[in-house]
Amino acid sequence: MVSVSLEDLKAKIHQLEQQLQEDQVLDPQKLQTQYLGKRGLFNTLSKAIKHVSPQDKRVAGQLLNAFKTSLQTRLQQLSDQHQSTPWVDLTAPGIQPPAGHLHPISQAIEEISRIFAKIGFTRVRYPEVDWDYYAFESLNMPPNHPARDEWETFFVEGPVNKQYGKIVLTPHTSNGQVREMERLKGKPPIRMINIARCYRRQQDVTHTQMFHQFEGLVVDKGINIQHLKGTLDYFAQEFYGPGTKSRIRPFHFQFTEPSFEVDFSCHICHGTGQIGQRRCAFCKSGWHEVGGAGMVHPNVLKAGGIDSNQYTGFAFGWGVERTYTLREGLNIDDIRLLYSGDVRFLEQF
Ligand code: PHE
């Protein structure tokens, strides 16, 4: 017969205690059965008492009783704890944190940059708070010239610079024209696309006080209106899809001569103004007016240190917001929504 010493018994008890520490409490009921059930670890262990020598039996019994009590207490504790912690399925897939994305206008800016990069335009950015000189004066609009009224400008209160005048929140990206000529030290070729924030004192469903414009400027030898028209057509097709056409109408700007307003054909009625028997509700005329353009005025070239006898250029510029919201299927009827910061709105783009 194998005999069991008190030492053996203590070692076994210790081993079980340890094991219980390491067990994962997924189901306290199971643990209860495993340790204290009829065929559980405790009962198996207590069978060893048969093999303890008679003089040690009493102490062995006490050891086992004490162990049983401590087991019961521990298992009860575990079961209480388990009930108070909510059940977690560790194998369930996690909850995806909401991922943000670029603002629709940032997406449009990136797209516009890419479209012009393909035909060799360099993306630049010039100050959005700039001198009156770059926003107006260098563009053939001397102080007090009535044409300035077109740009409902925010002037910044502050010291007036003798050479550059007051500080303005740029009302258009045309302030980049002479700045780009200066950057290139009056040496064409220039192929610039300037995309930046602009500010004007007006706000309604089609205007926000802060908006964005993109401004193209090309200066080189032999540049003419056909290059301008070709560039506009190219942009129209790339941005709105094949078949979209551009149209230029005579207009007036101080800094271009001749000057034009630019329209794009409506991609819903394909420039016809009609859908079946009905008038196209989107454009009403077949065309959408988008912005201004023209051949760079010699005085502007002169301000940028470029010899207007050798070089000519064209420029165009208009709003990113307007360009973007004209896209088919967008149906944004109030552009102020773009800057409302409402995630429910922005999530749709
Ligand atoms: N800066 C003009 C505007 O805001 C647009 C324009 C740009 C016109 C370049 C001609 C040439 O309205």
Side-chain angles (χ1 to χ4, degrees):
M1 193 171 79
V2 216
S3 73
V4 175
S5 71
L6 284 179
E7 291 317 308
D8 293 341
L9 197 62
K10 277 186 196 157
K12 284 242 166 69
I13 288 176
H14 183 68
Q15 193 192 337
L16 286 186
E17 273 171 343
Q18 231 89 93
Q19 188 182 324
L20 181 59
Q21 290 289 327
E22 283 157 27
D23 277 331
Q24 299 249 9
V25 195
L26 289 179
D27 181 352
Q29 198 53 50
K30 261 198 192 148
L31 220 53
Q32 183 83 15
T33 324
Q34 192 187 342
Y35 283 87
L36 293 174
K38 231 182 183 170
R39 302 214 183 110
L41 293 166
F42 180 78
N43 277 351
T44 316
L45 176 67
S46 52
K47 282 189 190 128
I49 205 156
K50 279 193 257 165
H51 308 298
V52 175
S53 64
Q55 71 271 27
D56 284 343
K57 272 219 163 78
R58 206 169 60 88
V59 181
Q62 282 167 357
L63 276 177
L64 282 168
N65 273 339
F67 178 48
K68 189 172 188 175
T69 320
S70 89
L71 261 185
Q72 280 165 337
T73 323
R74 180 77 192 127
L75 287 168
Q76 187 57 47
Q77 259 175 13
L78 288 176
S79 142
D80 291 350
Q81 263 174 27
H82 194 263
Q83 270 164 18
S84 59
T85 17
W87 184 76
V88 178
D89 181 356
L90 295 174
T91 63
I95 301 163
Q96 289 241 339
H101 63 71
L102 285 182
H103 188 277
I105 292 306
S106 301
Q107 294 177 31
I109 288 174
E110 290 204 345
E111 195 177 332
I112 293 166
S113 308
R114 269 199 305 276
I115 290 174
F116 284 106
K118 280 206 260 176
I119 53 169
F121 282 62
T122 305
R123 163 94 198 265
V124 295
R125 247 181 117 158
Y126 285 112
E128 292 159 352
V129 180
D130 205 354
W131 298 110
D132 177 297
Y133 173 77
Y134 290 107
F136 294 113
E137 204 172 336
S138 67
L139 296 175
N140 202 26
M141 285 184 276
N144 302 320
H145 194 285
R148 290 170 165 238
D149 282 357
E150 284 290 305
W151 291 271
E152 295 162 298
T153 308
F154 289 107
F155 285 86
V156 176
E157 267 180 36
V160 177
N161 183 286
K162 271 207 200 93
Q163 195 180 351
Y164 295 117
K166 290 185 182 167
I167 297 170
V168 302
L169 304 188
T170 51
H172 56 177
T173 41
S174 300
N175 69 315
Q177 291 194 17
V178 168
R179 280 193 174 272
E180 178 73 353
M181 296 175 196
E182 287 178 351
R183 181 178 76 89
L184 298 174
K185 309 210 162 47
K187 290 202 174 53
I190 294 175
R191 249 176 277 157
M192 146 189 118
I193 189 81
N194 172 31
I195 313 184
R197 287 193 188 93
C198 300
Y199 304 85
R200 287 189 199 176
R201 285 178 39 230
Q202 51 176 330
Q203 175 146 254
D204 55 41
V205 289
T206 52
H207 297 93
T208 47
Q209 287 160 323
M210 186 287 298
F211 61 106
H212 297 77
Q213 276 194 345
F214 59 106
E215 179 102 2
L217 174 70
V218 171
V219 182
D220 207 345
K221 286 186 173 147
I223 294 294
N224 60 44
I225 296 176
Q226 290 188 52
H227 298 120
L228 167 64
K229 185 67 169 64
T231 307
L232 297 174
D233 277 337
Y234 162 78
F235 176 75
Q237 299 201 14
E238 291 283 312
F239 196 82
Y240 294 109
T244 314
K245 291 197 227 41
S246 75
R247 178 174 83 170
I248 50 178
R249 286 177 288 109
F251 198 67
H252 176 261
F253 291 108
Q254 278 295 109
F255 38 97
T256 44
E257 181 58 41
S259 303
F260 310 103
E261 271 191 324
V262 179
D263 300 340
F264 288 144
S265 62
C266 176
H267 41 274
I268 300 212
C269 63
H270 304 290
T272 60
Q274 295 282 127
I275 298 178
Q277 302 290 46
R278 292 231 218 101
R279 202 154 76 130
C280 174
F282 193 50
C283 64
K284 300 187 177 82
S285 66
W287 298 88
H288 296 287
E289 187 208 315
V290 288
M295 300 306 293
V296 182
H297 195 287
N299 286 352
V300 178
L301 291 172
K302 208 192 283 167
I306 295 178
D307 179 357
S308 60
N309 291 319
Q310 278 197 62
Y311 293 101
T312 49
F314 68 77
F316 58 85
W318 60 85
V320 175
E321 285 79 359
R322 168 131 177 97
T323 307
Y324 177 68
T325 51
L326 281 177
R327 257 202 169 150
E328 186 169 4
L330 276 184
N331 283 330
I332 300 175
D333 51 10
D334 185 342
I335 78 163
R336 291 173 296 190
L337 279 170
L338 286 165
Y339 298 115
S340 62
D342 189 334
V343 177
R344 290 167 308 174
F345 172 77
L346 295 173
E347 267 172 356
Q348 301 172 69
F349 304 95

